[in-house]
Structure formats: structure tokens, C-alpha cells
Amino acid sequence: MNILDELKWRGAINQETDHDGLNDLVNQKSVGIYVGIDPTGDSMHIGHLIPFMILKRFQLAGHHPVIVIGGGTGAIGDPSGKKSERVLQTMDQVKHNEAALTAQMEKLFGQDGKFEIVNNYDWLSKLSLLDFLRDYGKLFNINTMLNKEIVASRLEVGISFTEFTYQILQSIDFLHLYRHNDVQVQLGGADQWGNITSGTDLIHKVEGADAQVFGLTIPLLLKSDGTKFGKSEGGNVWLDPEKTTPYEFYQFWINQDDRDVIRYLKYFTFLSQDEIAELAKKVETAPEKREAQRKLAEEVTEFVHGKAAVEQAEHISAALFSGDVSKLTTAEIEQGFKNMPTVEVSAEPLNIVQWLVDSTKIESSRRQVREDINNGAIRINGEKIQDVDFMIDPSKKFDGKFVIVRRGKKKYFLARVK
């Protein structure tokens, strides 16, 4: 099947400007296709990842991806999906974010054939106000712009002229890429439809009605409970490992609902139809094994962070499940216990009863801690402790940085040495 047939099977097509024309084009040649991202932050989160996963599929199918880092449009602010005006960033912030996003894109696209990363600041910054108004503003009808969903949805609360002109700037991007980078397709989320069709309209006005340019959008991805996909209890799930550790990233995917996991396998992995069909059977016949979720977590984590990160996440998961945390490295403790209840302790060795009650307040009383120790309910760094005279020495494990306490079967605490 060709790339459009595959995307349809994966449920990844929302709107197309001309399906038959685009279908003919992708069957005839290697097509230039672009996705843009504005540097509003210094990392993508998994919501941003969705259109780039589709762009990656085009790359693997032999087409030519072009990634636009919006250094120019990011200085303006896209009104899409926003109920109020964006706060303008400083140019220093924009530059910092550009560099971080470029590094992420190079990691995602740099191993599977040719791709380009361009910055629309390079051409938008060269436009004078008069050129903008005469060469482009004259070609945009205000009534048409007002009817675009991204603008219409903001008219009640108000929209600045700055954000109102965003669709013109994005249209100029498409025209520039058509002329200079052989780009004929723009891909984006469902909220980008108005901006994308503005671009195809501009190219047809400037280059002629027979210019072969196309727009393609992806559906808004919702969870089975009707809420928007992409957030965990702690907020956004980031691609930057400093913001969301690879272990947290892996856990996000492995914890997905049975009702959602097959759709996510279609969206976020490069598994074949047969492989996904087999996993769908396992969800139906043996959901308790969570094989589909494990495969989803493995595939997406490897794509974003690499195979070593998957192995590390699985090692941390196995240690936490078994309770044998003694084999974890200090770096793995940092990842696996990032969101565990945490206390600060001194490096001084101390009797376990005093340490658990006075220093950490993990236990409520000396009587309770003695009872827990005698019952074998306390583990320190993975070792069951049943001696009330045991001395806890933080320097003996995890480079002297941590002490791991497990009370009962599942209750963990991280003691971080000051």
C-alpha cells in the first residue's frame, strides 16, 4: 500500500485538500513535505510529536521531509488552539528554543535518509512592511480570514492584529518552500487546516491554479474517556530527558488503557498491520499480560531516546516490581524515584529506629517501627532488615547520595543525602 493508504489504515488522516491529486503525486515521485513548529518552548512534548511521527512515515516511504523551525512566526504567536493572546517571547528565548528543538529533530530524523531543517526567520525577517502589505496582504481577503476557525474562535474575546496576520506568515512559508525547497505538501494538526489552506490558496494565486500543492491534517487524538491525549498526572510528557526522564516516558506508555493502546500502536509505532493485529488479539485474550502496552512503551521510547534507554527503563521497572533495588545504579535511582515521596537526611550513620522516626518521619513512632522491623516489613536499599539495632550508613550505597526505604510490599521512600 502507498503512504496515504497506510495513513488511512492508521486513522491518521483528518482532511485533505485534494486526495486524488495527492495520491497520484506520492505514487509518481519523492515528494517534499513539511511540518512546522514554533519555538515557544525548549522541548517538544508528545502532543507535538504526532505530526512529526507522520512526517517520519513519509521519510521512511522515500519522501523528503522538511522541518520548519518557526523563528519568525514564533516571535509573533500562533492563535491556533489558544483562547487568549500569547505572551511574546524575547528573541533570546526564541533563539535558545530554536537550538533545542533543532537538536531534537536531528535525533528523530537523522538516521533514515535525507531531510532538511530550515528556519522561517531567514526569509520572514527580510520582508519590509511595504513588501508584506503590497506583495502578500493584497492577496488575502479579510472576510475569508475572519471565517477561518483559528480566527473566528477568537473574535468574541478578541485577537490582536499581530496574531491575526499569522496565517499570512505561514502561507508565505509554504510559498517560499514551494519555490526554494521543492515542497508540495504541508502537514499539520487539525487546528492548522485554516493556515494550511491559506497557503495553498496563496500559491495558486501567485504561481497559477495548476500549481500542485496539497494540504493534509491529522485528527485530534482523544483518549477513550474523551479527554485530549498527551498529558500525565504530572503535566506534559516531554521529549527532553531532563524534563521527563526516559523511565517516566516509558511508564507513561506502558500505563495506557486497553481501550486506547491499539490506536496508539498505529499512531506512534512503525509496526506492521500484522504485528498490530496480533497485539490486538492479545489485548482481547490476555489483557492482564499487557503485552501491547509493553510493546508500545518499547517502540516509542526507543524512537525518542534510543535502545539503551529502553533497557534502563525495563531494568528500573523490574527492580521496583521485585523490590530488589540494590542492583540499580545511582543514575537509575534518580530516574525511577523522581516522583516518590522524598526526604532529606544527613550523611551521618544512625540507628534505624531513630532514622525512620526522627530523621525521616517515615514511621510515626518507635513502637510502630520496631513492630514493622520485627515483621520483616522494612527494607533498606533492597535488604530486609529485622534487627532494631541496625545502623543506616548513607555512604555505603548509591555513591552516598541516596537511601531507599521500602515499607510493606509497595510503599517506597527516597532519602536524599544533603
Coordinates of all heavy atoms in Angstrom, one line a residue, residues 60-108:
L60 N 10.3 7.4 5.7 CA 10.6 6.0 5.6 C 10.0 5.5 4.3 O 10.4 4.4 3.8 CB 10.0 5.3 6.8 CG 10.7 5.6 8.1 CD1 10.0 4.8 9.2 CD2 12.2 5.2 8.1
A61 N 9.0 6.1 3.7 CA 8.4 5.7 2.5 C 9.1 6.3 1.2 O 8.6 6.1 0.1 CB 6.9 6.1 2.4
G62 N 10.2 7.0 1.5 CA 11.0 7.5 0.4 C 10.8 9.0 0.0 O 11.3 9.5 -1.0
H63 N 10.0 9.7 0.8 CA 9.7 11.1 0.5 C 10.7 12.0 1.3 O 11.5 11.5 2.1 CB 8.2 11.4 0.8 CG 7.3 10.6 0.0 ND1 7.1 10.8 -1.3 CD2 6.5 9.5 0.3 CE1 6.2 9.9 -1.8 NE2 5.9 9.1 -0.8
H64 N 10.6 13.3 1.1 CA 11.6 14.2 1.6 C 11.0 15.1 2.6 O 10.3 16.1 2.3 CB 12.2 15.0 0.4 CG 13.3 15.9 0.9 ND1 14.5 15.4 1.4 CD2 13.4 17.3 0.9 CE1 15.3 16.4 1.7 NE2 14.7 17.6 1.4
P65 N 11.3 14.9 3.9 CA 10.8 15.8 5.0 C 11.6 17.1 5.1 O 12.8 17.1 5.1 CB 10.9 14.9 6.2 CG 12.0 14.0 6.0 CD 12.1 13.8 4.5
V66 N 10.8 18.1 5.3 CA 11.4 19.4 5.6 C 10.7 19.9 6.9 O 9.5 20.0 7.0 CB 11.1 20.4 4.4 CG1 11.7 21.8 4.8 CG2 11.8 19.9 3.1
I67 N 11.6 20.3 7.8 CA 11.1 20.7 9.1 C 11.3 22.2 9.2 O 12.5 22.7 9.1 CB 11.8 20.0 10.3 CG1 11.5 18.5 10.2 CG2 11.4 20.5 11.6 CD1 12.7 17.6 10.6
V68 N 10.3 23.0 9.5 CA 10.4 24.4 9.7 C 10.4 24.8 11.1 O 9.4 24.6 11.8 CB 9.3 25.1 8.9 CG1 9.4 26.6 9.2 CG2 9.3 24.9 7.4
I69 N 11.5 25.3 11.6 CA 11.6 25.9 13.0 C 11.1 27.3 12.8 O 11.7 28.1 12.1 CB 13.0 25.8 13.5 CG1 13.5 24.3 13.5 CG2 13.0 26.4 15.0 CD1 12.8 23.4 14.5
G70 N 10.1 27.7 13.5 CA 9.4 29.0 13.3 C 10.1 30.1 14.1 O 9.4 30.7 14.9
G71 N 11.3 30.4 13.7 CA 12.0 31.5 14.4 C 11.3 32.9 14.2 O 11.3 33.8 15.0
G72 N 10.7 33.0 13.0 CA 9.9 34.2 12.6 C 8.5 34.2 13.2 O 8.1 35.1 13.9
T73 N 7.8 33.1 12.9 CA 6.4 33.0 13.4 C 6.4 32.8 14.9 O 5.4 33.3 15.5 CB 5.7 31.8 12.7 OG1 6.5 30.7 12.7 CG2 5.3 32.2 11.3
G74 N 7.4 32.2 15.5 CA 7.4 32.1 16.9 C 7.6 33.4 17.6 O 7.2 33.5 18.8
A75 N 8.1 34.4 17.0 CA 8.2 35.7 17.6 C 6.9 36.4 17.5 O 6.7 37.5 18.2 CB 9.3 36.5 16.8
I76 N 5.9 35.9 16.8 CA 4.6 36.5 16.6 C 3.6 35.8 17.5 O 2.9 36.4 18.3 CB 4.2 36.5 15.1 CG1 5.1 37.3 14.2 CG2 2.7 37.0 15.0 CD1 5.3 38.7 14.6
G77 N 3.4 34.5 17.3 CA 2.5 33.7 18.1 C 1.3 33.3 17.3 O 0.6 34.0 16.7
D78 N 1.2 31.9 17.3 CA 0.1 31.3 16.5 C -1.2 31.3 17.4 O -1.2 30.8 18.5 CB 0.5 29.9 16.2 CG -0.5 29.1 15.3 OD1 -1.6 29.7 15.1 OD2 -0.3 27.9 15.0
P79 N -2.3 31.8 16.9 CA -3.5 31.8 17.7 C -4.2 30.5 17.8 O -5.2 30.3 18.5 CB -4.4 32.8 17.0 CG -4.0 32.8 15.5 CD -2.5 32.6 15.6
S80 N -3.8 29.5 16.9 CA -4.4 28.2 16.9 C -4.5 27.5 18.2 O -3.4 27.4 18.9 CB -3.7 27.3 15.9 OG -3.6 27.8 14.6
G81 N -5.6 27.1 18.6 CA -5.8 26.3 19.9 C -5.7 27.2 21.1 O -5.6 26.6 22.2
K82 N -5.6 28.5 21.0 CA -5.5 29.4 22.1 C -6.7 30.2 22.3 O -7.3 30.8 21.4 CB -4.2 30.3 22.0 CG -2.9 29.5 22.0 CD -2.6 29.0 23.4 CE -1.3 28.2 23.4 NZ -1.1 27.6 24.7
K83 N -7.1 30.4 23.6 CA -8.3 31.1 23.9 C -8.0 32.6 24.2 O -8.9 33.4 24.3 CB -9.0 30.5 25.1 CG -9.6 29.1 24.8 CD -10.3 28.6 26.0 CE -10.9 27.2 25.7 NZ -11.5 26.6 26.9
S84 N -6.7 32.9 24.3 CA -6.3 34.3 24.6 C -4.9 34.5 23.9 O -4.3 33.6 23.4 CB -6.2 34.5 26.1 OG -5.3 33.6 26.7
E85 N -4.5 35.8 24.0 CA -3.3 36.2 23.3 C -2.1 35.5 24.0 O -2.0 35.4 25.2 CB -3.2 37.7 23.4 CG -2.3 38.3 22.4 CD -2.9 38.5 21.0 OE1 -4.1 38.2 20.9 OE2 -2.2 38.8 20.1
R86 N -1.1 35.1 23.2 CA 0.1 34.6 23.7 C 1.0 35.7 24.2 O 0.9 36.9 23.7 CB 0.9 33.9 22.6 CG 0.3 32.6 22.1 CD 1.2 31.9 21.1 NE 0.6 30.7 20.5 CZ 0.9 29.5 20.9 NH1 1.7 29.4 21.9 NH2 0.3 28.5 20.4
V87 N 1.8 35.4 25.2 CA 2.8 36.4 25.7 C 4.0 36.3 24.8 O 4.5 35.2 24.5 CB 3.2 36.1 27.1 CG1 4.3 37.0 27.6 CG2 2.0 36.1 28.1
L88 N 4.4 37.4 24.2 CA 5.5 37.4 23.3 C 6.8 37.1 24.0 O 7.1 37.6 25.1 CB 5.7 38.8 22.6 CG 4.6 39.2 21.7 CD1 4.8 40.6 21.1 CD2 4.4 38.2 20.5
Q89 N 7.6 36.3 23.4 CA 8.9 35.9 24.0 C 10.0 36.9 23.5 O 9.9 37.5 22.5 CB 9.3 34.5 23.5 CG 8.4 33.4 23.9 CD 8.9 32.0 23.5 OE1 9.4 31.3 24.3 NE2 8.9 31.7 22.2
T90 N 11.1 36.9 24.3 CA 12.2 37.7 23.9 C 12.9 36.9 22.7 O 12.8 35.7 22.6 CB 13.2 37.9 25.0 OG1 13.8 36.7 25.4 CG2 12.5 38.6 26.2
M91 N 13.7 37.6 21.9 CA 14.4 37.0 20.8 C 15.5 36.0 21.4 O 15.8 35.0 20.8 CB 15.0 38.0 19.9 CG 14.0 38.8 19.1 SD 12.8 37.7 18.2 CE 13.8 36.8 17.1
D92 N 16.0 36.3 22.6 CA 17.0 35.4 23.2 C 16.3 34.1 23.5 O 16.9 33.0 23.4 CB 17.6 36.1 24.4 CG 18.6 37.1 24.1 OD1 19.1 37.1 23.0 OD2 18.9 37.9 25.0
Q93 N 15.1 34.2 24.1 CA 14.3 33.0 24.4 C 14.1 32.2 23.1 O 14.2 30.9 23.1 CB 13.0 33.3 25.1 CG 13.1 33.8 26.5 CD 11.8 34.2 27.0 OE1 11.0 35.0 26.4 NE2 11.4 33.7 28.2
V94 N 13.7 32.9 22.1 CA 13.4 32.2 20.8 C 14.6 31.5 20.3 O 14.5 30.3 19.9 CB 12.8 33.2 19.8 CG1 12.7 32.6 18.4 CG2 11.5 33.8 20.2
K95 N 15.7 32.1 20.3 CA 17.0 31.5 19.8 C 17.4 30.3 20.6 O 17.8 29.3 20.0 CB 18.1 32.6 19.9 CG 18.0 33.8 18.9 CD 18.1 33.3 17.5 CE 18.0 34.5 16.5 NZ 17.9 34.1 15.1
H96 N 17.2 30.4 21.9 CA 17.5 29.2 22.8 C 16.6 28.1 22.4 O 17.1 26.9 22.3 CB 17.4 29.6 24.2 CG 17.4 28.5 25.2 ND1 18.5 27.8 25.5 CD2 16.3 27.8 25.8 CE1 18.2 26.8 26.4 NE2 16.9 26.8 26.5
N97 N 15.4 28.3 22.3 CA 14.4 27.3 22.0 C 14.6 26.7 20.6 O 14.5 25.5 20.4 CB 13.0 27.8 22.1 CG 12.6 28.2 23.5 OD1 13.3 27.9 24.4 ND2 11.5 29.0 23.6
E98 N 15.0 27.5 19.6 CA 15.3 27.1 18.3 C 16.4 26.0 18.3 O 16.3 24.9 17.7 CB 15.8 28.2 17.4 CG 14.8 29.2 16.9 CD 15.4 30.4 16.2 OE1 16.6 30.3 15.9 OE2 14.7 31.4 16.0
A99 N 17.5 26.3 19.1 CA 18.6 25.3 19.1 C 18.2 24.0 19.7 O 18.6 22.9 19.3 CB 19.8 26.0 19.9
A100 N 17.4 24.1 20.8 CA 17.0 22.9 21.5 C 16.1 22.0 20.6 O 16.2 20.8 20.5 CB 16.3 23.2 22.8
L101 N 15.1 22.6 19.9 CA 14.2 21.9 19.0 C 15.0 21.3 17.8 O 14.7 20.2 17.4 CB 13.1 22.8 18.5 CG 12.1 23.3 19.6 CD1 11.0 24.2 19.0 CD2 11.4 22.1 20.3
T102 N 15.9 22.1 17.3 CA 16.7 21.6 16.2 C 17.4 20.3 16.6 O 17.5 19.3 15.8 CB 17.7 22.7 15.7 OG1 17.0 23.8 15.2 CG2 18.6 22.1 14.6
A103 N 18.0 20.3 17.8 CA 18.7 19.1 18.2 C 17.8 17.9 18.3 O 18.1 16.7 18.0 CB 19.4 19.3 19.6
Q104 N 16.5 18.1 18.8 CA 15.6 17.0 18.9 C 15.2 16.5 17.5 O 15.1 15.3 17.3 CB 14.3 17.5 19.7 CG 14.6 17.7 21.1 CD 13.3 18.0 21.9 OE1 12.3 18.4 21.3 NE2 13.4 17.8 23.2
M105 N 15.0 17.4 16.6 CA 14.6 17.0 15.2 C 15.8 16.2 14.5 O 15.5 15.2 13.8 CB 14.3 18.2 14.3 CG 13.1 19.0 14.8 SD 11.6 17.9 14.8 CE 10.4 19.0 15.5
E106 N 17.0 16.6 14.8 CA 18.1 15.9 14.2 C 18.2 14.5 14.7 O 18.6 13.5 14.0 CB 19.4 16.7 14.5 CG 19.6 18.0 13.7 CD 20.7 18.8 14.1 OE1 21.3 18.6 15.2 OE2 21.1 19.7 13.3
K107 N 17.8 14.3 16.0 CA 17.9 13.0 16.5 C 16.8 12.1 16.0 O 17.0 10.9 15.7 CB 17.7 13.1 18.1 CG 17.9 11.7 18.8 CD 17.8 12.0 20.3 CE 18.0 10.6 21.0 NZ 18.0 10.8 22.5
L108 N 15.6 12.7 15.7 CA 14.4 11.9 15.2 C 14.5 11.6 13.7 O 14.1 10.5 13.3 CB 13.1 12.7 15.5 CG 12.7 12.9 16.9 CD1 11.4 13.7 17.0 CD2 12.6 11.6 17.7

